[in-house]
Amino acid sequence: IICMKKMNALKISIFSLLFTALLPATLKAQDDDHAKLKADAENAKAEFIKSDELMQGLFDNAAGYVIFPNVGKGAIGVGGAAGNGILYENGQAVGRAKMKQVTVGFQFGGQAYREVIFFEDQAAIDRFKTSNFELSAQASAVAVTKGASANVKYRDGVLIFTQEKGGLMYEASVGGQHFDFEKFQ
């Protein structure tokens, strides 16, 4: 019995030592991942503004926005898209968002793009944060070109822009996107 207790104590000690040694490395990897995603989001914001200078006003005046700097989309009849982003409130990064989309219908190809969703008010941001936020099948995005943001209007508290990064795809809807949100610790 004494030998078993020593073995269990040894196992606990080894586990504690490994946990203590590996935890900082795991947290650093998460921090590096968050830092890279934030940097990508800031670069995407700059690219949106570079393509349409009027978007600066949207970034400045929106209650909040979420930027997905790298969204991948592909389809052959049935399609899917996914990307990670950063949610900003009052210009400050407050958490990480994940976007997933499944589509069915006439579609073919693959593409990479950026997406930004502007929130008109705090109520729209709060809906997004519930992680039950979805864009309806009728949701559409404005493709960013010079002057594209001049006469846009919020719909149900959101305004969506996309910017193609590469690829070719016959289909360009954002409807059916589902989002999950995780606040930064």
Side-chain angles (χ1 to χ4, degrees):
I1 291 179
I2 294 174
C3 185
M4 290 292 279
K5 286 183 181 181
K6 285 183 180 180
M7 287 296 288
N8 286 337
L10 181 61
K11 286 180 188 176
I12 291 171
S13 295
I14 291 172
F15 176 76
S16 296
L17 182 64
L18 286 174
F19 182 76
T20 304
L22 294 177
L23 183 61
T26 303
L27 293 176
K28 178 160 179 9
Q30 278 184 333
D31 288 345
D32 289 348
D33 186 43
H34 288 320
K36 181 176 180 343
L37 184 57
K38 280 184 188 178
D40 288 349
E42 289 299 320
N43 288 336
K45 178 180 175 180
E47 288 297 321
F48 278 118
I49 294 168
K50 180 179 174 184
S51 296
D52 182 1
E53 295 168 356
L54 298 175
M55 287 191 75
Q56 182 67 58
L58 291 171
F59 282 107
D60 292 343
N61 297 316
Y65 52 89
V66 60
I67 299 176
F68 295 93
N70 299 299
V71 178
K73 188 173 195 174
I76 301 178
V78 175
N84 293 312
I86 300 288
L87 175 66
Y88 294 82
E89 284 186 76
N90 302 313
Q92 299 297 315
V94 297
R96 182 183 183 112
K98 291 183 181 183
M99 183 274 289
K100 294 176 242 153
Q101 178 182 22
V102 175
T103 54
V104 178
F106 184 69
Q107 51 193 331
F108 180 79
Q111 71 179 156
Y113 63 96
R114 299 176 181 94
E115 180 172 317
V116 61
I117 303 171
F118 292 99
F119 300 104
E120 185 173 26
D121 52 32
Q122 190 62 46
I125 295 170
D126 292 343
R127 277 196 326 270
F128 182 83
K129 287 178 169 181
T130 66
S131 290
N132 290 319
F133 187 85
E134 281 191 29
L135 295 176
S136 70
Q138 293 79 27
S140 61
V142 176
V144 176
T145 56
K146 188 166 183 67
S149 64
N151 296 311
V152 293
K153 303 276 187 254
Y154 283 93
R155 184 172 176 181
D156 296 323
V158 299
L159 183 56
I160 309 159
F161 287 89
T162 61
Q163 185 177 48
E164 186 175 333
K165 292 175 71 175
L168 179 62
M169 185 153 178
Y170 183 78
E171 190 266 348
S173 71
V174 294
Q177 289 182 344
H178 175 82
F179 302 89
D180 291 313
F181 172 73
E182 179 184 322
K183 186 175 180 174
F184 287 142
Q185 299 297 324

